[in-house]
Each structure stands twice: as C-alpha cells, then as structure tokens.
Amino acid sequence: MGPWQLLLRPVSAAVSSSTQIAPKCLNHCSFPHLSVSFLGCVRSFSRSTNNNLEFRIAASFSGKGRKFDSQKNVDDFRSLKPPAVRHRPGRAPRPASGQDSFFVAEIAGTKDVAFGVADGVGGWADSGVDPADFSHGFCQFMAHTVAHYSSEKRLKPREIMQLGYEKIVKDGSVKAGGSTACIAVARADGILEVANLGDSGFVQLRLNAVRYASDPQTHAFNTPFQLSIIPQKMLAQEAYFGGHRLHDMPRDSVVTNHTIKNGDVLVFASDGVWDNLSPQDILKIVSGRMRTLNAWKLENDAIVLGDGIFDLTDFDTSKVQGIDTLQSLLAASIAGEAKIASLDTKRNGPFAREVQKYYPGEGWHGGKPDDICVIVVLVIS
C-alpha cells in the first residue's frame, strides 16, 4: 500500500507521491511465544462423503523494488507442520513480500481452512514506523488463532480478523501501524465466507468465467479502509492540532458468502495486483494455464473440468506434468504478470484508468509499482 493511504489528503498529492521509493525498514518485530508462523501450512485433507472438498493452496509474492523469482517467490505449503517462530531481533522470519503479508491455516478440530492477505499502510513510514510490522504480525496472530481454536462455535473470517487485531494490540510489540485485510474461511461442505476490509480483494473463477469479484472498500480515492494501532501521543497531537488518522475496525469489513465447487479457482491478492490487473486479466492468465494443462477443457462447445486436475495439484504426481503444482504455477503466473504490469510505463491498468477518468490533469500513465501478494486456492473434490 502506498505511503499516501494513511490520511485523507488532496488527490493531487496522493497521486504524485506514488512514485516515491519505499523507505528503508526501521524496525522488525517477532512473537516468540507463538507456536506457529505467519505462514500457516496446509496440504490436502481426507473428507467424509458429506464434506468432500479439499483445498490445494499456494502463495506468490514480490516486494516493491525487488526482482521477482518464480521459483523462490512462491510457497505451496508443502510442510504440514508449521515452523516454530524464533525470536531474532531485527531479523524476524518473513517472506520477501515487503509490507504485504499472508497466512494459511487449518482451523483446529475441523477440515475447514482459513487464509488471507494483509497490506501494510505505507504512510506510517513517515512517522518512523516499519509498515510491515503490523501486517506480518497481524497475520501471524490470525494463523495462531486459527490453529489453536478450541470453541465448538464455527469460526468466521470477521472473528479471525477481530481476534488477530485484538492480539496484536494487546501484545504491544507493534507500537503503531495498520493494514487492510481480506480474510476467508473455506469449508469442506462447499461454503466460502469472506470478510474484506480495504482494497485487497478476491475473485472466484469457475470454468473460464469470473463468478464473483469483490469491490474495494475506500473512504476516498486511493484511501482504503484499514485497521490501525495509533499511539496515544499521536491521538493527543491530532486532538490539539487537528487532523485524523484512519482507524477502521473488523466490524466495518464487508462479509460475503459463496458456494464453491470442484474445479473453482479462488484468487486473493493485495492491491499491488488489483491496481495493475483486472479480474478479466486474472481470468485470462488462469484460463491459459488451466486449458494448456487440460485442467479446464473444451467439450461440446462448453468448458468442462478436466479429469487430471487432482493429479496436477498433488505434490507427488504433479511432477509428471513438469510443474511443481498447478496452484503454485497459477500463483506465480499471476504475481509475475502483476510485477510486469506494475513496471510497464505504457500499459494502463485499473489504477491508471481510474486516475485518468477522475483526474485527467494528473497525466498518469502505466502501471503502479507496489508490493505484490497472491494466494491461489484450487477447490478439489
């Protein structure tokens, strides 16, 4: 998320500031008392006849200003045992995703899976705060909450967001910061519930079509809803001098419910993707890969599910097709294309088109460089 998105500011200043180089991170935080990392781990699960869906998941990412490596910048959650968090001051264990973060975890005692992305608010760097501390710590606490959930009550994504937020505030390791969040729970019985706060978002693809695309949640142009930790000193200064930092809550998130089926592709991503690629762009990338590998195929003038999709998503059999897994291929393809589009000064993506539509005097052209984070979920029966 760009540095202008913390406060409500004049649009001309907001747009021009997007070309600034991201400040060097000042602090790093880790949480040694937690037993799971911010990257929860999941592979596949056995299902009963009434709960027969599996979720094959991969993530891909690239920090702003860093080169994208399709082999290194991907995680297919091969290990079922989450690595322990080690306290290493100044060197907290994080993926190379910049201010973006993500998590994946199976809900304790169930076969349901929770996952999500969080985009740190870059504007906090102006106050000497590393924007990555909040987003990465927030995801770490959500993963911990999910993995150790003990109530018989069904865990929902807004509750995951609320509990993760409460825990990072109470912990005290992160003194200030904020992020957007798009959190989901995929249930083995075919229900997907999503809580989205801000301008991260997701699409649901089914058989070469966009079935659903979320809308960004903003206060003003390029000013998304966001969770925040605001120090008392800053609040006192605002009360005296005026001004207002955004401080939304999990209850402000938009909650949606969806039916998911065998062969569906779910793509969750930060605005580093959505500012540069449209849902139709995502569909084109996914469809190209799926049809090339016959995961989706044309039959009697209709797109249908291929017979080999299960093997393409399995760690042991997908190598036969010359890829690690289909889900990792899709995640890396989307992240890689978003990276290319963000650096292309002639290719106008969704962000550029919005600026040109509402603020033509800005003369904005091309992509919008930013941190990039993608989670791809393949639904398998």
Side-chain angles (χ1 to χ4, degrees), residues 295-315:
W296 291 343
K297 62 182 181 179
L298 184 63
E299 189 174 281
N300 297 326
D301 297 324
I303 299 296
V304 298
L305 195 62
D307 297 331
I309 190 170
F310 189 94
D311 289 337
L312 289 168
T313 60
D314 185 79
F315 297 116

Side-chain angles (χ1 to χ4, degrees), residues 11-13 15-16 221 352-365:
V11 171
S12 58
V15 174
S16 61
F221 176 75
R353 291 194 290 271
E354 286 292 296
V355 176
Q356 292 166 5
K357 179 179 179 180
Y358 295 105
Y359 308 100
E362 294 293 337
W364 183 284
H365 296 282

Side-chain angles (χ1 to χ4, degrees), residues 306-326:
D307 297 331
I309 190 170
F310 189 94
D311 289 337
L312 289 168
T313 60
D314 185 79
F315 297 116
D316 297 324
T317 59
S318 63
K319 289 291 186 181
V320 177
Q321 303 293 332
I323 60 174
D324 288 335
T325 59
L326 178 55

